[in-house]
Short mmCIF file of all heavy atoms in Angstrom, two decimals:
data_model
loop_
_atom_site.label_atom_id
_atom_site.label_comp_id
_atom_site.label_asym_id
_atom_site.label_seq_id
_atom_site.Cartn_x
_atom_site.Cartn_y
_atom_site.Cartn_z
N MET A 272 0.86 -1.17 -0.02
CA MET A 272 0.02 0.03 -0.01
C MET A 272 0.90 1.16 0.02
O MET A 272 1.85 1.33 0.79
CB MET A 272 -0.95 0.08 1.27
CG MET A 272 -1.86 -1.16 1.22
SD MET A 272 -2.99 -1.12 2.58
CE MET A 272 -3.91 0.33 2.39
N PRO A 273 0.51 2.25 -0.76
CA PRO A 273 1.45 3.44 -0.88
C PRO A 273 1.10 4.46 0.21
O PRO A 273 0.79 5.51 -0.01
CB PRO A 273 1.09 3.98 -2.22
CG PRO A 273 -0.38 3.50 -2.44
CD PRO A 273 -0.53 2.21 -1.79
N ILE A 274 1.24 4.00 1.55
CA ILE A 274 1.00 4.94 2.59
C ILE A 274 2.14 4.81 3.60
O ILE A 274 2.87 3.82 3.58
CB ILE A 274 -0.23 4.63 3.35
CG1 ILE A 274 -0.31 3.23 3.96
CG2 ILE A 274 -1.55 4.85 2.48
CD1 ILE A 274 -1.45 2.91 4.83
N ARG A 275 2.33 5.87 4.37
CA ARG A 275 3.37 5.81 5.49
C ARG A 275 2.92 6.53 6.66
O ARG A 275 2.12 7.57 6.52
CB ARG A 275 4.72 6.27 4.96
CG ARG A 275 4.86 7.69 4.92
CD ARG A 275 6.26 8.11 4.47
NE ARG A 275 6.59 9.39 4.85
CZ ARG A 275 7.83 9.91 4.88
NH1 ARG A 275 8.84 9.20 4.44
NH2 ARG A 275 8.02 11.15 5.32
N ILE A 276 3.34 6.15 7.79
CA ILE A 276 3.03 6.92 8.96
C ILE A 276 4.15 7.89 9.31
O ILE A 276 5.36 7.54 9.20
CB ILE A 276 2.93 5.90 10.20
CG1 ILE A 276 1.80 4.97 9.92
CG2 ILE A 276 2.70 6.71 11.48
CD1 ILE A 276 1.71 3.77 10.91
N GLU A 277 3.82 9.10 9.48
CA GLU A 277 4.80 10.18 9.62
C GLU A 277 4.47 11.12 10.71
O GLU A 277 3.33 11.24 11.14
CB GLU A 277 5.06 10.96 8.37
CG GLU A 277 3.92 11.66 7.82
CD GLU A 277 4.17 12.27 6.49
OE1 GLU A 277 4.94 11.79 5.73
OE2 GLU A 277 3.51 13.28 6.21
N SER A 278 5.49 11.77 11.29
CA SER A 278 5.28 12.74 12.29
C SER A 278 4.55 13.98 11.71
O SER A 278 4.55 14.07 10.46
CB SER A 278 6.59 13.20 12.87
OG SER A 278 7.28 12.14 13.50
N LEU A 279 4.02 14.90 12.50
CA LEU A 279 3.34 16.04 11.94
C LEU A 279 4.23 16.98 11.14
O LEU A 279 3.72 17.78 10.26
CB LEU A 279 2.70 16.84 13.05
CG LEU A 279 1.53 16.06 13.87
CD1 LEU A 279 0.98 16.84 14.95
CD2 LEU A 279 0.52 15.70 12.81
N ASP A 280 5.53 16.89 11.34
CA ASP A 280 6.50 17.71 10.57
C ASP A 280 6.86 17.06 9.21
O ASP A 280 7.61 17.70 8.48
CB ASP A 280 7.76 18.06 11.43
CG ASP A 280 8.55 16.76 11.71
OD1 ASP A 280 8.22 15.70 11.23
OD2 ASP A 280 9.64 16.91 12.40
N GLY A 281 6.33 15.89 8.98
CA GLY A 281 6.62 15.24 7.70
C GLY A 281 7.69 14.19 7.67
O GLY A 281 7.87 13.53 6.68
N SER A 282 8.42 14.06 8.79
CA SER A 282 9.43 13.07 8.86
C SER A 282 8.81 11.68 9.10
O SER A 282 7.81 11.60 9.78
CB SER A 282 10.50 13.37 9.92
OG SER A 282 9.96 13.42 11.19
N LYS A 283 9.54 10.68 8.64
CA LYS A 283 9.04 9.28 8.85
C LYS A 283 9.00 8.89 10.36
O LYS A 283 10.03 9.11 11.01
CB LYS A 283 9.86 8.27 8.04
CG LYS A 283 9.40 6.88 8.06
CD LYS A 283 10.27 5.99 7.22
CE LYS A 283 9.71 4.50 7.21
NZ LYS A 283 10.58 3.61 6.46
N ALA A 284 7.91 8.39 10.83
CA ALA A 284 7.85 7.98 12.25
C ALA A 284 8.70 6.66 12.47
O ALA A 284 8.77 5.76 11.72
CB ALA A 284 6.43 7.76 12.72
N ILE A 285 9.40 6.69 13.60
CA ILE A 285 10.25 5.47 13.90
C ILE A 285 9.39 4.46 14.69
O ILE A 285 8.36 4.74 15.17
CB ILE A 285 11.42 5.94 14.68
CG1 ILE A 285 11.10 6.66 15.95
CG2 ILE A 285 12.37 6.87 13.91
CD1 ILE A 285 12.17 6.95 16.99
N PHE A 286 9.96 3.22 14.73
CA PHE A 286 9.23 2.13 15.29
C PHE A 286 8.68 2.39 16.76
O PHE A 286 7.49 2.10 17.03
CB PHE A 286 10.00 0.91 15.26
CG PHE A 286 9.26 -0.32 15.82
CD1 PHE A 286 8.23 -0.92 15.06
CD2 PHE A 286 9.56 -0.74 17.07
CE1 PHE A 286 7.47 -1.98 15.67
CE2 PHE A 286 8.89 -1.85 17.64
CZ PHE A 286 7.86 -2.48 16.97
N PRO A 287 9.52 2.96 17.66
CA PRO A 287 9.02 3.17 19.05
C PRO A 287 7.85 4.17 19.05
O PRO A 287 6.91 3.87 19.79
CB PRO A 287 10.27 3.71 19.85
CG PRO A 287 11.49 3.22 18.99
CD PRO A 287 11.00 3.15 17.58
N THR A 288 7.93 5.07 18.17
CA THR A 288 6.75 6.06 18.18
C THR A 288 5.51 5.40 17.66
O THR A 288 4.42 5.56 18.23
CB THR A 288 7.11 7.25 17.12
OG1 THR A 288 8.25 7.96 17.65
CG2 THR A 288 5.90 8.24 17.06
N ILE A 289 5.64 4.52 16.72
CA ILE A 289 4.48 3.82 16.09
C ILE A 289 3.92 2.83 17.05
O ILE A 289 2.76 2.87 17.34
CB ILE A 289 4.89 3.08 14.77
CG1 ILE A 289 5.27 4.08 13.78
CG2 ILE A 289 3.76 2.16 14.39
CD1 ILE A 289 5.85 3.51 12.42
N TYR A 290 4.76 2.06 17.77
CA TYR A 290 4.28 1.09 18.71
C TYR A 290 3.86 1.66 19.98
O TYR A 290 2.76 1.46 20.55
CB TYR A 290 5.21 -0.08 18.84
CG TYR A 290 4.61 -1.18 19.67
CD1 TYR A 290 3.67 -1.95 19.17
CD2 TYR A 290 4.91 -1.38 20.99
CE1 TYR A 290 3.01 -2.93 19.86
CE2 TYR A 290 4.32 -2.27 21.81
CZ TYR A 290 3.31 -3.13 21.26
OH TYR A 290 2.70 -4.08 22.00
N LEU A 291 4.83 2.40 20.64
CA LEU A 291 4.57 2.81 22.06
C LEU A 291 3.59 3.92 22.21
O LEU A 291 2.89 3.96 23.16
CB LEU A 291 5.92 3.25 22.63
CG LEU A 291 6.92 2.09 22.93
CD1 LEU A 291 8.22 2.64 23.38
CD2 LEU A 291 6.39 0.98 23.79
N LYS A 292 3.58 4.91 21.19
CA LYS A 292 2.74 5.99 21.31
C LYS A 292 1.45 5.83 20.51
O LYS A 292 0.39 6.50 20.75
CB LYS A 292 3.39 7.21 20.82
CG LYS A 292 4.56 7.67 21.67
CD LYS A 292 5.10 9.00 21.21
CE LYS A 292 6.24 9.37 22.04
NZ LYS A 292 6.84 10.65 21.47
N ARG A 293 1.37 4.97 19.44
CA ARG A 293 0.33 4.94 18.55
C ARG A 293 -0.60 3.63 18.79
O ARG A 293 -1.77 3.69 18.93
CB ARG A 293 0.80 4.90 17.09
CG ARG A 293 -0.23 5.23 16.10
CD ARG A 293 0.44 5.50 14.75
NE ARG A 293 -0.31 6.05 13.77
CZ ARG A 293 -1.06 5.33 12.90
NH1 ARG A 293 -0.91 4.03 12.90
NH2 ARG A 293 -1.86 5.93 12.07
N MET A 294 0.10 2.44 18.93
CA MET A 294 -0.73 1.26 18.98
C MET A 294 -1.00 0.87 20.47
O MET A 294 -2.10 0.44 20.81
CB MET A 294 0.07 0.12 18.34
CG MET A 294 0.22 0.28 16.79
SD MET A 294 1.19 -0.87 16.00
CE MET A 294 0.31 -2.39 16.29
N LEU A 295 0.08 0.96 21.26
CA LEU A 295 -0.13 0.46 22.74
C LEU A 295 -1.17 1.17 23.52
O LEU A 295 -2.01 0.50 24.11
CB LEU A 295 1.19 0.61 23.40
CG LEU A 295 1.34 -0.05 24.85
CD1 LEU A 295 1.04 -1.54 24.76
CD2 LEU A 295 2.61 0.22 25.41
N PRO A 296 -1.31 2.47 23.44
CA PRO A 296 -2.35 3.08 24.17
C PRO A 296 -3.82 2.65 23.77
O PRO A 296 -4.70 2.46 24.58
CB PRO A 296 -2.25 4.60 23.83
CG PRO A 296 -0.86 4.74 23.56
CD PRO A 296 -0.47 3.48 22.85
N MET A 297 -4.03 2.42 22.39
CA MET A 297 -5.26 1.93 22.03
C MET A 297 -5.62 0.50 22.49
O MET A 297 -6.63 0.16 22.76
CB MET A 297 -5.45 2.10 20.48
CG MET A 297 -5.47 3.54 20.07
SD MET A 297 -6.61 4.64 21.02
CE MET A 297 -8.21 4.03 20.73
N GLN A 298 -4.54 -0.30 22.44
CA GLN A 298 -4.63 -1.68 22.97
C GLN A 298 -5.00 -1.70 24.43
O GLN A 298 -5.86 -2.46 24.93
CB GLN A 298 -3.37 -2.45 22.62
CG GLN A 298 -3.10 -2.72 21.26
CD GLN A 298 -1.78 -3.39 21.00
OE1 GLN A 298 -0.95 -3.52 21.85
NE2 GLN A 298 -1.61 -3.90 19.82
N LEU A 299 -4.46 -0.81 25.22
CA LEU A 299 -4.68 -0.79 26.65
C LEU A 299 -6.07 -0.22 26.88
O LEU A 299 -6.77 -0.71 27.79
CB LEU A 299 -3.62 0.11 27.39
CG LEU A 299 -2.19 -0.47 27.33
CD1 LEU A 299 -1.28 0.54 27.98
CD2 LEU A 299 -2.19 -1.77 28.04
N ILE A 300 -6.50 0.77 26.22
CA ILE A 300 -7.92 1.23 26.34
C ILE A 300 -8.92 0.18 25.94
O ILE A 300 -9.89 0.00 26.64
CB ILE A 300 -8.08 2.53 25.47
CG1 ILE A 300 -7.26 3.72 26.01
CG2 ILE A 300 -9.60 2.87 25.31
CD1 ILE A 300 -7.27 4.94 25.13
N GLY A 301 -8.62 -0.61 24.92
CA GLY A 301 -9.49 -1.66 24.52
C GLY A 301 -9.64 -2.84 25.67
O GLY A 301 -10.56 -3.51 25.56
N LEU A 302 -8.71 -2.82 26.55
CA LEU A 302 -8.83 -3.94 27.56
C LEU A 302 -9.86 -3.53 28.63
O LEU A 302 -10.26 -4.38 29.40
CB LEU A 302 -7.46 -4.10 28.23
CG LEU A 302 -6.42 -4.75 27.42
CD1 LEU A 302 -5.09 -4.70 28.14
CD2 LEU A 302 -6.80 -6.11 26.95
N VAL A 303 -10.25 -2.22 28.68
CA VAL A 303 -11.21 -1.86 29.66
C VAL A 303 -12.58 -2.34 29.24
O VAL A 303 -13.02 -2.03 28.04
CB VAL A 303 -11.28 -0.32 29.88
CG1 VAL A 303 -12.36 0.16 30.81
CG2 VAL A 303 -9.87 0.12 30.24
N PRO A 304 -13.32 -3.08 30.06
CA PRO A 304 -14.58 -3.65 29.56
C PRO A 304 -15.57 -2.59 29.26
O PRO A 304 -15.61 -1.51 29.87
CB PRO A 304 -15.08 -4.41 30.85
CG PRO A 304 -13.90 -4.69 31.66
CD PRO A 304 -12.91 -3.55 31.37
N SER A 305 -16.34 -2.79 28.21
CA SER A 305 -17.42 -1.96 27.68
C SER A 305 -16.96 -0.52 27.15
O SER A 305 -16.83 -0.35 25.94
CB SER A 305 -18.47 -1.79 28.70
OG SER A 305 -19.10 -3.00 28.94
N ILE A 306 -16.64 0.34 28.01
CA ILE A 306 -16.30 1.73 27.65
C ILE A 306 -15.09 1.86 26.76
O ILE A 306 -14.98 2.44 25.87
CB ILE A 306 -16.41 2.71 28.77
CG1 ILE A 306 -16.34 4.17 28.29
CG2 ILE A 306 -15.27 2.44 29.78
CD1 ILE A 306 -17.56 4.60 27.62
N GLY A 307 -14.06 1.04 27.29
CA GLY A 307 -12.75 1.01 26.59
C GLY A 307 -12.89 0.43 25.16
O GLY A 307 -12.27 0.86 24.18
N GLN A 308 -13.68 -0.66 25.18
CA GLN A 308 -13.89 -1.35 23.81
C GLN A 308 -14.75 -0.46 22.92
O GLN A 308 -14.54 -0.36 21.68
CB GLN A 308 -14.62 -2.67 24.02
CG GLN A 308 -13.75 -3.60 24.74
CD GLN A 308 -14.44 -4.85 25.25
OE1 GLN A 308 -15.64 -4.98 25.05
NE2 GLN A 308 -13.75 -5.78 25.82
N PHE A 309 -15.67 0.24 23.47
CA PHE A 309 -16.44 1.28 22.68
C PHE A 309 -15.53 2.35 22.08
O PHE A 309 -15.59 2.78 20.89
CB PHE A 309 -17.53 1.83 23.47
CG PHE A 309 -18.37 2.87 22.71
CD1 PHE A 309 -19.32 2.36 21.82
CD2 PHE A 309 -18.37 4.16 23.01
CE1 PHE A 309 -20.13 3.31 21.11
CE2 PHE A 309 -19.07 5.14 22.33
CZ PHE A 309 -20.03 4.65 21.35
N ILE A 310 -14.66 2.86 22.99
CA ILE A 310 -13.76 3.97 22.56
C ILE A 310 -12.78 3.41 21.36
O ILE A 310 -12.62 4.02 20.33
CB ILE A 310 -12.96 4.55 23.72
CG1 ILE A 310 -13.84 5.30 24.64
CG2 ILE A 310 -11.74 5.45 23.20
CD1 ILE A 310 -13.25 5.68 25.92
N ALA A 311 -12.17 2.33 21.62
CA ALA A 311 -11.17 1.78 20.71
C ALA A 311 -11.84 1.31 19.42
O ALA A 311 -11.33 1.40 18.34
CB ALA A 311 -10.40 0.61 21.39
N GLY A 312 -13.01 0.75 19.54
CA GLY A 312 -13.74 0.13 18.31
C GLY A 312 -14.63 1.03 17.58
O GLY A 312 -14.89 0.79 16.33
N VAL A 313 -15.17 2.05 18.18
CA VAL A 313 -16.25 2.95 17.52
C VAL A 313 -15.65 4.41 17.43
O VAL A 313 -15.59 4.97 16.35
CB VAL A 313 -17.57 2.86 18.16
CG1 VAL A 313 -18.58 3.78 17.59
CG2 VAL A 313 -18.13 1.40 18.18
N ILE A 314 -15.36 4.91 18.56
CA ILE A 314 -14.97 6.30 18.60
C ILE A 314 -13.66 6.61 17.82
O ILE A 314 -13.60 7.57 17.04
CB ILE A 314 -14.78 6.88 20.06
CG1 ILE A 314 -16.17 6.65 20.84
CG2 ILE A 314 -14.36 8.25 20.01
CD1 ILE A 314 -17.30 7.42 20.32
N ASN A 315 -12.70 5.80 18.09
CA ASN A 315 -11.38 5.93 17.39
C ASN A 315 -11.58 6.03 15.84
O ASN A 315 -11.12 6.89 15.27
CB ASN A 315 -10.43 4.85 17.82
CG ASN A 315 -9.04 5.00 17.25
OD1 ASN A 315 -8.62 6.11 17.09
ND2 ASN A 315 -8.45 3.85 16.88
N PRO A 316 -12.21 5.03 15.26
CA PRO A 316 -12.28 5.05 13.78
C PRO A 316 -13.20 6.26 13.35
O PRO A 316 -12.97 6.71 12.22
CB PRO A 316 -13.02 3.79 13.38
CG PRO A 316 -12.73 2.87 14.59
CD PRO A 316 -12.66 3.71 15.71
N LEU A 317 -14.15 6.68 13.99
CA LEU A 317 -14.96 7.84 13.64
C LEU A 317 -14.16 9.15 13.49
O LEU A 317 -14.63 10.01 12.68
CB LEU A 317 -16.08 7.95 14.60
CG LEU A 317 -17.27 6.92 14.56
CD1 LEU A 317 -18.41 7.24 15.58
CD2 LEU A 317 -17.86 6.89 13.10
N PHE A 318 -13.12 9.27 14.16
CA PHE A 318 -12.21 10.47 14.05
C PHE A 318 -11.73 10.56 12.60
O PHE A 318 -11.31 11.65 12.20
CB PHE A 318 -11.11 10.38 15.07
CG PHE A 318 -11.46 11.07 16.36
CD1 PHE A 318 -12.42 10.57 17.21
CD2 PHE A 318 -10.91 12.33 16.67
CE1 PHE A 318 -12.67 11.09 18.41
CE2 PHE A 318 -11.24 12.94 17.91
CZ PHE A 318 -12.11 12.37 18.76
N MET A 319 -11.72 9.56 11.79
CA MET A 319 -11.17 9.53 10.44
C MET A 319 -12.04 10.46 9.59
O MET A 319 -11.54 11.04 8.62
CB MET A 319 -11.25 8.09 9.85
CG MET A 319 -10.12 7.35 10.05
SD MET A 319 -10.13 5.90 9.10
CE MET A 319 -11.65 5.08 9.44
N PHE A 320 -13.22 10.68 9.96
CA PHE A 320 -14.12 11.57 9.15
C PHE A 320 -14.09 13.02 9.52
O PHE A 320 -14.89 13.79 9.00
CB PHE A 320 -15.54 10.94 9.17
CG PHE A 320 -15.60 9.49 8.78
CD1 PHE A 320 -15.86 8.58 9.66
CD2 PHE A 320 -15.56 9.18 7.36
CE1 PHE A 320 -15.92 7.19 9.25
CE2 PHE A 320 -15.54 7.92 7.06
CZ PHE A 320 -15.77 6.88 7.97
N GLY A 321 -13.15 13.35 10.42
CA GLY A 321 -13.04 14.71 10.82
C GLY A 321 -12.23 15.55 9.85
O GLY A 321 -11.76 14.97 8.75
N LYS A 322 -11.97 16.79 10.09
CA LYS A 322 -11.36 17.68 9.19
C LYS A 322 -9.93 17.34 8.88
O LYS A 322 -9.43 17.24 7.71
CB LYS A 322 -11.35 19.10 9.70
CG LYS A 322 -10.82 20.13 8.81
CD LYS A 322 -10.92 21.48 9.39
CE LYS A 322 -10.27 22.62 8.48
NZ LYS A 322 -10.42 23.94 9.01
N GLN A 323 -9.18 16.82 9.82
CA GLN A 323 -7.76 16.41 9.73
C GLN A 323 -7.60 14.99 9.24
O GLN A 323 -6.48 14.50 9.01
CB GLN A 323 -6.89 16.70 10.97
CG GLN A 323 -6.84 18.17 11.26
CD GLN A 323 -5.98 18.35 12.58
OE1 GLN A 323 -5.53 17.50 13.27
NE2 GLN A 323 -5.57 19.60 12.64
N ARG A 324 -8.68 14.20 9.32
CA ARG A 324 -8.61 12.73 8.87
C ARG A 324 -7.62 12.02 9.76
O ARG A 324 -6.82 11.19 9.17
CB ARG A 324 -8.37 12.60 7.45
CG ARG A 324 -9.52 13.28 6.63
CD ARG A 324 -9.32 12.97 5.17
NE ARG A 324 -9.21 11.65 4.80
CZ ARG A 324 -10.21 10.74 4.44
NH1 ARG A 324 -11.42 11.39 4.40
NH2 ARG A 324 -10.03 9.63 4.17
N ARG A 325 -7.55 12.22 11.03
CA ARG A 325 -6.68 11.54 11.92
C ARG A 325 -7.46 10.80 13.05
O ARG A 325 -8.42 11.41 13.53
CB ARG A 325 -5.71 12.50 12.61
CG ARG A 325 -4.72 13.07 11.61
CD ARG A 325 -3.94 14.26 12.20
NE ARG A 325 -3.14 13.83 13.41
CZ ARG A 325 -2.91 14.73 14.40
NH1 ARG A 325 -3.09 15.98 14.21
NH2 ARG A 325 -2.21 14.33 15.41
N CYS A 326 -7.15 9.63 13.41
CA CYS A 326 -7.81 8.92 14.43
C CYS A 326 -7.24 9.37 15.84
O CYS A 326 -6.30 10.05 15.88
CB CYS A 326 -7.63 7.39 14.29
SG CYS A 326 -8.31 6.68 12.86
N VAL A 327 -7.94 8.86 16.84
CA VAL A 327 -7.49 9.16 18.25
C VAL A 327 -6.04 8.79 18.42
O VAL A 327 -5.26 9.49 18.99
CB VAL A 327 -8.38 8.48 19.24
CG1 VAL A 327 -7.86 8.77 20.72
CG2 VAL A 327 -9.79 9.04 19.16
N HIS A 328 -5.63 7.65 17.96
CA HIS A 328 -4.26 7.19 18.24
C HIS A 328 -3.33 8.10 17.44
O HIS A 328 -2.14 8.25 17.93
CB HIS A 328 -4.12 5.75 17.75
CG HIS A 328 -4.45 5.32 16.42
ND1 HIS A 328 -5.65 4.83 16.09
CD2 HIS A 328 -3.75 5.54 15.24
CE1 HIS A 328 -5.67 4.62 14.75
NE2 HIS A 328 -4.56 5.01 14.23
N ASP A 329 -3.65 8.68 16.39
CA ASP A 329 -2.78 9.68 15.66
C ASP A 329 -2.59 10.92 16.61
O ASP A 329 -1.50 11.53 16.61
CB ASP A 329 -3.34 10.02 14.35
CG ASP A 329 -3.34 8.90 13.33
OD1 ASP A 329 -2.21 8.29 13.29
OD2 ASP A 329 -4.30 8.75 12.59
N TYR A 330 -3.66 11.42 17.14
CA TYR A 330 -3.54 12.57 18.08
C TYR A 330 -2.67 12.26 19.28
O TYR A 330 -1.92 13.16 19.65
CB TYR A 330 -4.98 12.99 18.52
CG TYR A 330 -5.77 13.71 17.46
CD1 TYR A 330 -6.80 13.04 16.75
CD2 TYR A 330 -5.52 15.07 17.05
CE1 TYR A 330 -7.45 13.76 15.69
CE2 TYR A 330 -6.18 15.76 16.19
CZ TYR A 330 -7.15 14.98 15.43
OH TYR A 330 -7.87 15.64 14.44
N ILE A 331 -2.86 11.11 19.88
CA ILE A 331 -2.06 10.72 20.99
C ILE A 331 -0.52 10.64 20.59
O ILE A 331 0.30 11.16 21.29
CB ILE A 331 -2.45 9.29 21.47
CG1 ILE A 331 -3.80 9.35 22.17
CG2 ILE A 331 -1.48 8.82 22.56
CD1 ILE A 331 -4.48 8.00 22.52
N ALA A 332 -0.20 10.08 19.41
CA ALA A 332 1.19 9.86 19.04
C ALA A 332 1.70 11.10 18.24
O ALA A 332 2.86 11.18 17.89
CB ALA A 332 1.38 8.68 18.25
N LYS A 333 0.85 12.06 17.92
CA LYS A 333 1.25 13.17 17.11
C LYS A 333 1.79 12.82 15.82
O LYS A 333 2.89 13.11 15.30
CB LYS A 333 2.25 14.07 17.85
CG LYS A 333 1.71 14.74 19.04
CD LYS A 333 2.72 15.62 19.81
CE LYS A 333 2.04 16.19 20.98
NZ LYS A 333 2.31 15.71 22.26
N THR A 334 1.09 11.88 15.10
CA THR A 334 1.47 11.41 13.83
C THR A 334 0.24 11.52 12.87
O THR A 334 -0.84 11.91 13.21
CB THR A 334 1.71 9.82 13.84
OG1 THR A 334 0.60 9.12 14.26
CG2 THR A 334 2.88 9.51 14.69
N LYS A 335 0.49 11.20 11.63
CA LYS A 335 -0.54 11.28 10.63
C LYS A 335 -0.12 10.16 9.53
O LYS A 335 1.05 9.75 9.39
CB LYS A 335 -0.65 12.61 9.90
CG LYS A 335 0.55 13.07 9.14
CD LYS A 335 0.37 14.44 8.57
CE LYS A 335 1.65 14.92 7.81
NZ LYS A 335 1.40 16.16 7.18
N VAL A 336 -1.12 9.72 8.75
CA VAL A 336 -0.86 8.77 7.66
C VAL A 336 -0.91 9.64 6.36
O VAL A 336 -1.86 10.36 6.15
CB VAL A 336 -2.01 7.68 7.64
CG1 VAL A 336 -1.80 6.84 6.49
CG2 VAL A 336 -1.98 6.86 8.93
N SER A 337 0.08 9.43 5.53
CA SER A 337 0.15 10.12 4.35
C SER A 337 0.30 9.12 3.18
O SER A 337 0.78 8.01 3.40
CB SER A 337 1.27 11.15 4.31
OG SER A 337 2.44 10.48 4.38
N TYR A 338 -0.04 9.59 1.99
CA TYR A 338 0.05 8.70 0.78
C TYR A 338 1.43 9.02 0.09
O TYR A 338 1.70 10.24 -0.12
CB TYR A 338 -1.10 8.96 -0.17
CG TYR A 338 -2.44 8.47 0.54
CD1 TYR A 338 -3.24 9.47 1.19
CD2 TYR A 338 -2.88 7.17 0.41
CE1 TYR A 338 -4.43 9.02 1.84
CE2 TYR A 338 -3.99 6.79 1.12
CZ TYR A 338 -4.80 7.74 1.76
OH TYR A 338 -5.94 7.25 2.35
N THR A 339 2.16 8.03 -0.30
CA THR A 339 3.35 8.16 -0.96
C THR A 339 3.22 8.30 -2.40
O THR A 339 4.16 8.88 -3.08
CB THR A 339 4.30 7.03 -0.68
OG1 THR A 339 3.75 5.77 -1.18
CG2 THR A 339 4.64 6.85 0.82
N GLY A 340 2.13 7.98 -3.07
CA GLY A 340 1.92 8.17 -4.46
C GLY A 340 2.55 7.10 -5.36
O GLY A 340 2.31 7.13 -6.57
N THR A 341 3.17 6.09 -4.72
CA THR A 341 3.66 5.03 -5.68
C THR A 341 3.07 3.76 -5.35
O THR A 341 2.53 3.49 -4.37
CB THR A 341 5.19 4.93 -5.46
OG1 THR A 341 5.54 4.71 -4.08
CG2 THR A 341 5.98 6.13 -5.91
#
């Protein structure tokens, strides 16, 4: 897929940023019964339809997904 995860300044995000700041918080939130699963499964993806097209985990990690065009 021609996409990449990058910092808000446009530099490529490194693995610790991707895992520790982007994925791990949402996994931990998802472990909370009911409300955590609702946030991780419903609220998080709904943020994609906002003006900046970033999910909750992108805001937490200060990242964005961009298209590389190739």
Side-chain angles (χ1 to χ4, degrees):
M272 294 180 68
I274 61 172
R275 81 178 202 167
I276 300 169
E277 58 186 31
S278 300
L279 294 178
D280 64 4
S282 62
K283 186 177 178 181
I285 59 175
F286 180 76
T288 299
I289 293 171
Y290 186 74
L291 296 175
K292 294 182 180 176
R293 198 169 191 266
M294 295 173 63
L295 188 61
M297 293 313 296
Q298 290 174 347
L299 294 175
I300 289 171
L302 292 176
V303 177
S305 298
I306 191 70
Q308 294 168 355
F309 181 74
I310 291 170
V313 178
I314 302 297
N315 184 36
L317 286 178
F318 268 71
M319 275 190 303
F320 301 107
K322 185 177 180 181
Q323 294 186 347
R324 298 184 55 95
R325 294 169 55 205
C326 293
V327 172
H328 57 264
D329 290 317
Y330 285 102
I331 293 170
K333 296 181 178 100
T334 59
K335 64 181 179 178
V336 176
S337 66
Y338 295 95
T339 61
T341 56

